[in-house]
Amino acid sequence: MARNKFDIDEELESPFNIRHFRRALVYIKRQKKPMIIAFVLSALSAGIGLSAPLIMQHVVDVTIPAKDKTGLVGWSALIFATIVFSVILATIRSRIMTRVGQDIIFEIRHDLFKHLQKLPFQYYDDRPQGKILIRVVNYVNAVSDVLSNGIINFILEIMNLLFIAAFMFAVDARLSLIILGGLPIFLGIMLLIKTKQRRAWQAVSNKSSNLNAYMQESISGIRVTQIFTREERNEGLFTRLAANARQTWMKAMYLNFLVPFTVDNLTTIVTTALFFVGLLWMGPAEITFGVILAMSGYAARFWQPILNLSNLYNSFINAIAYLERIFETLDEPVTVTDVPDALELPTLQGRVTFDDVTFAYEPGHNILEHLSFDIKPGESVALVGPTGAGKTTVVNLISRFYNVTGGRILVDGQDIAEATLQSLRSQMGIMLQDSFIFSGTIMDNIRYGKLDATEEEVIAAAKTVRADDFIREFERGYMTEVNERGSKLSQGQRQLISFARTLLANPRILILDEATSSIDARTERLLQQGLNELLKGRTSFIIAHRLSTVKNCDRIMYISDKGVAESGSHDELLALRGRYHKLYSAQKMEA
């Protein structure tokens, strides 16, 4: 399924079931103690509030007819005290649950981020970054209140209903049946809109995800947008996506508002029926005005918990759509991981062997087929060939960023599929064409791959790759703050900093994927001097389109037709007069 575009909805892999909510209860159980305290406070507040109609009944039927002014003042003071006490309890409870909600947010978000750190490259290849980001931020925020206040409030409202029903029947059973008469209508409406509500909120999550993905893509590519004057076109795309998000939101809210609309009207109807039956049918001979007044108070109180429960139900329906997305992400399989009893690799010598390796990003579309070669420790190997032939795929497989489809890859005779990822990747230095710079200082960026490195080691690595000179030209030198992706640096400067970061880790196997493509010829010559010393004793794989930069490698492999079409030294391949000779001659003529 195509999921790598901002305008394609992400359909759920499986329908929601109660198992998802049970999984959410794991986070709730961790907050059990404060939630119990909050529940007790809420129950006390609700219980105190239910005494008010009984006090009103006594005042109307007894205190006022007896003209007991002292008693009237006392009962009034008691009602005021119940209100104050309920407010105090509710405030304390609110503070507790705010903390609980934020703790739940933290734990879910932490688990999501931890899982995302382990997911293979394939997961990120298949979807926009914005659709991943919205799950970690927006969706977690959306479910936090339901998983904290929602659970407590649901239990409390059920208890409220039972208590109110008990008080009502204790006052007058006949009038209580009138109040309960609206329940079948309410339940019928809820059953009718239940499925529509879930689908509507799934649509909201889809359109919000699409909008977020496009915004992230647009911000990342703003320079390209302005270069090609795509502002108006992009505004049109954004308007369409925003309109879709608005339309689905309005439809979902329309269904949500049906519930309070129904409850409000049913409350009015049953209250009217209550007065009609009590005053006009039964009359004063059978029932007092105080009883009718108390029952009208309980009627409003009875339907209020139902309204609250319906709102909680709406929130739950909304949360289901987001919980489905959250748990879908958490259930995404970590396909590239340590096998049981994985081995810790010792210090590597650097021998790399491909043994009949086949690989495909998508089933049935092999990039490499039955690829075999053996690289000796300390040997420098250049991978050349046409774009899309699989050069980067080869080095990605050595780093085990993907699992091979068939065959095996060995380092020092050990199958890397049976080794721990940490012991493998910690001994590899990988320098990619897209040099990513993190927000922070230049010192922090170089030290990223070796956090315990001293300043002297950082500076030594920078000098080796010829980055020290331009770094010292900044006012704060190595403590210069750089923005995310290094927007204040040139592409060449970003690559040199990334080079220093890679080399600082002192890797046994070094991978350079078009690492010098954005460095000017003069800097590249200086860099090459330092690299020649560094590459001694280390196995290295170098991908480069400029063949002049790799002709001194021990071996050059021409990758084409899903394998190695030609292999040998620069002179051997020229003498062969095959594909490499043709490519090298073409570049020489262009120069």
Side-chain angles (χ1 to χ4, degrees):
M1 176 177 61
R3 292 188 291 179
N4 59 344
K5 293 183 63 181
F6 58 80
D7 57 349
I8 295 179
D9 292 342
E10 288 190 290
E11 299 298 333
L12 287 171
E13 306 297 340
S14 59
F16 178 84
N17 58 57
I18 196 62
R19 181 177 60 85
H20 290 96
F21 194 70
R22 291 199 201 102
R23 289 177 63 180
L25 291 178
V26 171
Y27 298 98
I28 297 171
K29 289 178 181 177
R30 296 173 187 170
Q31 306 296 327
K32 183 168 61 176
K33 184 176 179 180
M35 290 183 75
I36 290 174
I37 295 173
F39 175 78
V40 172
L41 293 176
S42 298
L44 287 173
S45 177
I48 292 169
L50 286 174
S51 64
L54 288 178
I55 295 174
M56 289 296 297
Q57 177 191 350
H58 181 81
V59 169
V60 171
D61 287 344
V62 179
T63 306
I64 293 177
K67 299 180 180 180
D68 183 2
K69 296 181 180 179
T70 303
L72 184 61
V73 171
W75 287 117
S76 299
L78 182 59
I79 290 177
F80 179 76
T82 61
I83 294 172
V84 171
F85 196 57
S86 294
V87 169
I88 293 173
L89 292 177
T91 302
I92 298 173
R93 181 255 194 191
S94 178
R95 290 183 177 181
I96 293 173
M97 292 312 298
T98 298
R99 179 62 181 268
V100 167
Q102 288 302 308
D103 286 345
I104 290 175
I105 285 178
F106 171 80
E107 290 178 358
I108 296 177
R109 192 167 286 152
H110 175 268
D111 288 350
L112 270 173
F113 185 78
K114 182 179 179 181
H115 189 68
L116 287 170
Q117 296 291 292
K118 298 177 181 178
L119 290 177
F121 283 10
Q122 188 73 53
Y123 178 80
Y124 298 96
D125 293 341
D126 287 346
R127 50 187 50 76
Q129 296 174 15
K131 292 193 176 187
I132 300 172
L133 183 62
I134 196 173
R135 298 187 182 204
V136 181
V137 181
N138 301 54
Y139 291 177
V140 175
N141 287 340
V143 303
S144 64
D145 192 58
V146 173
L147 298 183
S148 54
N149 283 303
I151 301 297
I152 290 180
N153 288 339
F154 179 79
I155 299 173
L156 282 172
E157 298 302 347
I158 294 293
M159 290 180 60
N160 276 342
L161 276 178
L162 295 176
F163 283 139
I164 291 169
F167 275 83
M168 287 193 310
F169 277 94
V171 174
D172 192 282
R174 295 167 297 177
L175 296 181
S176 297
L177 293 176
I178 294 174
I179 296 173
L180 295 177
L183 274 179
I185 299 174
F186 173 76
L187 294 175
I189 293 174
M190 292 297 290
L191 288 173
L192 284 175
I193 67 173
K194 179 184 68 171
T195 302
K196 292 182 179 180
Q197 276 186 305
R198 177 172 180 254
R199 290 175 180 170
W201 283 105
Q202 282 182 342
V204 168
S205 71
N206 277 333
K207 302 309 179 185
S208 298
S209 179
N210 293 348
L211 182 62
N212 196 72
Y214 184 68
M215 287 179 63
Q216 190 277 334
E217 180 181 291
S218 298
I219 292 170
S220 298
I222 191 65
R223 288 175 176 80
V224 179
T225 294
Q226 294 184 5
I227 288 171
F228 290 97
T229 62
R230 282 263 308 191
E231 292 89 344
E232 290 188 10
R233 171 65 175 166
N234 287 2
E235 182 182 347
L237 289 172
F238 178 84
T239 300
R240 176 170 61 83
L241 293 170
N244 289 339
R246 178 183 61 185
Q247 182 180 359
T248 54
W249 174 267
M250 293 300 294
K251 181 178 180 180
M253 292 307 296
Y254 171 77
L255 291 170
N256 270 18
F257 286 139
L258 277 178
V259 179
F261 174 80
T262 301
V263 171
D264 287 342
N265 282 280
L266 286 174
T267 302
T268 302
I269 292 171
V270 297
T271 303
T272 302
L274 193 71
F275 278 95
F276 178 81
V277 172
L279 293 177
L280 300 180
W281 187 19
M282 293 183 178
E286 291 191 49
I287 196 165
T288 66
F289 183 71
V291 169
I292 296 175
L293 188 63
M295 291 300 292
S296 66
Y298 281 126
R301 288 173 179 269
F302 178 80
W303 283 96
Q304 186 59 47
I306 292 179
L307 177 60
N308 294 340
L309 284 170
S310 63
N311 289 334
L312 286 171
Y313 174 77
N314 284 338
S315 298
F316 180 71
I317 291 294
N318 304 353
I320 284 175
Y322 299 130
L323 278 174
E324 288 170 327
R325 303 296 184 185
I326 290 169
F327 286 124
E328 182 189 44
T329 303
L330 287 173
D331 289 339
E332 194 71 33
V334 181
T335 54
V336 180
T337 187
D338 294 343
V339 298
D341 301 320
L343 301 175
E344 291 283 338
L345 292 176
T347 301
L348 297 178
Q349 297 301 311
R351 182 171 184 174
V352 177
T353 304
F354 271 52
D355 181 14
D356 196 34
V357 170
T358 296
F359 176 76
Y361 291 104
E362 297 179 5
H365 297 84
N366 291 340
I367 303 298
L368 302 172
E369 286 184 352
H370 308 294
L371 176 60
S372 297
F373 59 77
D374 185 62
I375 308 300
K376 298 175 183 178
E379 191 174 2
S380 59
V381 181
L383 303 178
V384 302
T387 300
K391 300 183 295 296
T392 298
T393 299
V394 170
V395 295
N396 281 339
L397 292 177
I398 296 171
S399 310
R400 206 185 160 212
F401 290 137
Y402 302 87
N403 289 325
V404 297
T405 307
R408 58 179 185 160
I409 300 172
L410 300 94
V411 175
D412 290 354
Q414 174 64 51
D415 190 342
I416 62 173
E418 299 175 355
T420 64
L421 292 174
Q422 194 279 333
S423 66
L424 173 67
R425 293 177 183 169
S426 64
Q427 300 189 68
M428 302 186 72
I430 305 170
M431 175 69 188
L432 304 175
Q433 181 179 8
D434 182 16
S435 305
F436 193 93
I437 300 296
F438 297 90
S439 57
T441 66
I442 292 176
M443 178 72 72
D444 291 338
N445 268 278
I446 297 176
R447 192 183 273 149
Y448 190 84
K450 187 181 179 184
L451 298 179
D452 59 348
T454 65
E455 290 189 13
E456 291 74 17
E457 289 174 323
V458 171
I459 294 171
K463 286 181 177 179
T464 300
V465 302
R466 302 303 190 265
D468 181 71
D469 291 340
F470 86 81
I471 293 174
R472 292 189 183 277
E473 291 177 0
F474 292 116
E475 184 178 348
R476 300 192 61 198
Y478 285 86
M479 301 312 294
T480 300
E481 293 282 341
V482 291
N483 296 335
E484 180 185 351
R485 304 192 71 88
S487 59
K488 292 183 178 180
L489 303 171
S490 70
Q491 177 64 21
Q493 289 172 333
R494 291 199 296 270
Q495 282 196 302
L496 289 176
I497 289 174
S498 297
F499 240 124
R501 178 169 62 200
T502 300
L503 304 184
L504 181 63
N506 192 26
R508 304 303 305 163
I509 298 175
L510 187 63
I511 294 173
L512 309 178
D513 188 352
E514 289 290 339
T516 61
S517 61
S518 298
I519 299 174
D520 61 83
R522 177 180 174 275
T523 304
E524 185 178 358
R525 285 194 296 271
L526 294 173
L527 175 61
Q528 194 65 45
Q529 296 172 11
L531 285 179
N532 288 338
E533 292 299 318
L534 181 75
L535 294 179
K536 290 181 179 178
R538 290 181 172 85
T539 305
S540 58
F541 291 85
I542 304 170
I543 298 175
H545 283 97
R546 290 205 305 262
L547 301 184
S548 60
T549 64
V550 300
K551 63 182 182 180
N552 293 326
C553 289
D554 299 323
R555 191 190 312 189
I556 298 172
M557 295 195 301
Y558 191 99
I559 307 298
S560 182
D561 300 330
K562 303 179 182 180
V564 178
E566 296 176 3
S567 179
S569 67
H570 172 72
D571 293 335
E572 289 171 345
L573 293 180
L574 287 182
L576 189 63
R577 303 186 68 83
R579 301 186 188 188
Y580 179 81
H581 178 273
K582 183 178 180 181
L583 182 61
Y584 183 77
S585 299
Q587 288 192 8
K588 197 171 181 181
M589 289 179 63
E590 291 175 2

